[in-house]
Amino acid sequence: MASDQLSRQQRRKVQRDALERGAKVMARGLGPELGEAEALGIALIVHERLTDAGRPARAGEAAEMVETLLEKTLANEVRGLDLGCRKGCSYCCSALVTCSAPEIFRVASWLRLNATTAAAPIKLPEIAAEVVRRHGVSLEQMFNERAPCPLLIAGACGVYPVRPIPCRSLFSMSSEACRLALEENSGEVPIVGGAMQKGEMARTLLLAAVSAAGLSDRGIELTAGVMAVIEKPDAEARWLAGENVFDGVMGGDRSPGSRRAQDHIAKLLGALVG
Ligand code: SF4
Ligand code: SF4
C-alpha cells in the first residue's frame, strides 16, 4: 500500500520502522546498496532536524548530520586503497563546487567563528573580491583559467572540517593523473567511483529532506553562496522562512538519475510527514 493511503496509526508504524532503520545506517555508514526503507529513515531523521523550529542553525546542522554519515561511509569505502590524495595536493580544487544551501550555511557559520583564528588565516575580503571578479566570467573562461578555489589557503582547504559533500567524496588513485588533467587537460583521472557514488547518495538524502520540508533544493556555487550570506547571520533564518537569500548566485542542476531518486524519496517522505 502506498504511504499516502495509510491510516494515521499505520503511518506512525512506518515512521517508527523507518527511523529505526535510518538510525542504524547513520551509526555505521552507507553500505553498497541502500534499501528504500533505510533511505526514507535517514531522510526522515534529517527532515526532523530541518523542521525543528527551536534550532536556529538547523539547516547547517542537517548538513552536518549527512556529512558525518558520509565520513563514516567513505572511511569504509577507501580503506586499504593506495590513494594519491594527501594534504597539500590540490589539483582538484580548481573546479567550481556546487552544493546545497544547508552546506553553505555550515561553511559560513564556521568561517564567522574561525576565519581569523585558523592556523592559516582566511582573508574574507580577498575571497569576496575574487567572487566579484568571477561574476559574469563564463564557465569556459573559468575552466581555461584553472583558477583555484578561493577557499584554498596556503595549498590546503581552508574550510576542511566543514567542506561540502562534493569535496568530501572526490578521491583519486593518482595525484599525477590529477595534475595532468588540470595542467595539460589530458588523460583520465582514476577517481574512486564508489566514493563519488556515496557522495551523490548522501546529497540525494539531504536534498530529499530539504524539498520535503518545503525548502529550496537548488544547487548553489559554493564560494559565491558563502560570500552572499557571510555578513548576514540572519540569512539562515530567512532562507528557512522561504526567502531567496542566494539571488544572483550561479547554480547547477543534478543529473536526471539523482533528481529522480531525490524526488522519489521526497515524495515518500512527504506522504509520511504531511
Ligand atoms: S583528488 Fe587528485 S588532486 Fe585531489 S587530493 Fe586527490 S590526488 Fe590530489
Ligand atoms: S572547499 Fe576546500 S576542498 Fe573544496 S574545492 Fe575549495 S579548497 Fe578544495
Side-chain angles (χ1 to χ4, degrees), residues 84-188:
C85 307
R86 64 190 184 283
K87 191 169 181 187
C89 181
S90 57
Y91 301 114
C92 56
C93 291
S94 289
L96 279 183
V97 176
T98 301
C99 59
S100 65
E103 292 166 272
I104 302 253
F105 290 124
R106 185 167 190 230
V107 174
S109 61
W110 188 90
L111 277 172
R112 280 186 210 112
L113 290 175
N114 297 289
T116 52
T117 54
I122 302 165
K123 294 176 183 150
L124 295 177
E126 285 181 12
I127 297 175
E130 177 60 8
V131 167
V132 170
R133 186 191 73 80
R134 288 179 176 202
H135 196 73
V137 172
S138 70
L139 280 178
E140 192 187 0
Q141 203 178 327
M142 293 274 291
F143 177 78
N144 290 338
E145 273 185 17
R146 289 162 173 74
C149 171
L151 295 169
L152 186 68
I153 311 293
C157 178
V159 294
Y160 189 80
V162 292
R163 68 202 186 287
I165 291 170
C167 302
R168 283 173 196 272
S169 45
L170 177 61
F171 294 90
S172 160
M173 301 300 292
S174 164
S175 163
E176 176 60 8
C178 293
R179 187 194 68 75
L180 284 170
L182 177 76
E183 293 180 353
E184 298 176 26
N185 198 18
S186 73
E188 291 274 313

Side-chain angles (χ1 to χ4, degrees), residues 26-55:
M26 298 283 277
R28 65 163 191 257
L30 299 163
E33 297 293 332
L34 184 65
E36 189 174 274
E38 282 76 14
L40 183 57
I42 297 165
L44 193 52
I45 291 168
V46 177
H47 180 272
E48 279 188 347
R49 178 59 60 94
L50 269 174
T51 52
D52 181 348
R55 306 182 78 102

Side-chain angles (χ1 to χ4, degrees), residues 166-259:
C167 302
R168 283 173 196 272
S169 45
L170 177 61
F171 294 90
S172 160
M173 301 300 292
S174 164
S175 163
E176 176 60 8
C178 293
R179 187 194 68 75
L180 284 170
L182 177 76
E183 293 180 353
E184 298 176 26
N185 198 18
S186 73
E188 291 274 313
V189 175
I191 59 163
V192 180
M196 189 76 94
Q197 186 224 352
K198 295 298 186 324
E200 201 54 23
M201 218 184 251
R203 187 184 228 193
T204 292
L205 297 170
L206 174 60
L207 289 175
V210 164
S211 60
L215 298 164
S216 167
D217 64 354
R218 100 166 165 96
I220 301 156
E221 194 273 305
L222 170 66
T223 320
V226 169
M227 287 300 122
V229 298
I230 190 93
E231 302 285 355
K232 301 169 189 156
D234 66 341
E236 185 166 351
R238 285 162 44 205
W239 178 81
L240 284 161
E243 193 181 322
N244 178 12
V245 297
F246 298 106
D247 195 24
V249 178
M250 187 163 57
D253 291 330
R254 306 199 71 202
S255 71
S258 296
R259 164 56 69 179

